[in-house]
Amino acid sequence: QVQLVESGGGLVQPGGSLRLSCAASGSISGISDMGWYRQAPGKQRELVATITSGGTTNYADSVKGRFTISRDNAKNTVYLQMNSLKPEDTAVYYCNAHLRPRGSIWYSDYWGQGTQVTVSS
């Protein structure tokens, strides 16, 4: 059974920092792209950042210069370092991974359960 588990969310003041982690576990033969998405109340889920297996990154314009995505392939884990947080960053953050379960020839998208990030004074 494959699953993604996020951690690191919480309440932080504007200008503060948080680091989110997402670990993929279970029987996995390979992971290609990983990423972070977020969804605020009443809004569509949006891309925050992605990172390829080789380390190429992509960011939403709204977080460029403030957020950094990284990964540890040995641990099947992706991170999101969030600095200079703003109230508009408040959302549920979801981890995504395009991975191949062991025994399968197909890659599929998997999602974490989400972790709440609240930026407020």
Side-chain angles (χ1 to χ4, degrees):
Q1 185 175 357
V2 175
Q3 63 179 22
L4 307 180
V5 179
E6 300 106 331
S7 62
L11 175 65
V12 65
Q13 293 184 339
S17 297
L18 286 173
R19 191 173 88 143
L20 306 183
S21 299
C22 172
S25 64
S27 185
I28 299 168
S29 64
I31 304 177
S32 57
D33 293 358
M34 304 184 81
W36 290 94
Y37 296 73
R38 67 186 182 188
Q39 188 167 24
K43 294 186 177 181
Q44 297 277 343
R45 186 174 298 188
E46 65 176 354
L47 182 148
V48 177
T50 60
I51 184 167
T52 69
S53 60
T56 301
T57 59
N58 183 56
Y59 298 93
D61 288 342
S62 59
V63 307
K64 279 185 177 178
R66 300 187 298 121
F67 292 10
T68 302
I69 189 170
S70 61
R71 64 192 287 169
D72 185 336
N73 291 331
K75 297 180 179 180
N76 288 342
T77 299
V78 63
Y79 306 93
L80 186 68
Q81 178 66 48
M82 304 185 293
N83 298 326
S84 302
L85 283 161
K86 304 174 180 179
E88 50 263 45
D89 295 319
T90 296
V92 177
Y93 283 70
Y94 296 91
C95 175
N96 170 264
H98 194 61
L99 61 83
R100 181 174 64 189
R102 198 173 304 278
S104 175
I105 63 171
W106 307 112
Y107 279 78
S108 301
D109 279 330
Y110 286 79
W111 292 90
Q113 82 286 354
T115 185
Q116 177 71 47
V117 172
T118 302
V119 184
S120 177
S121 60

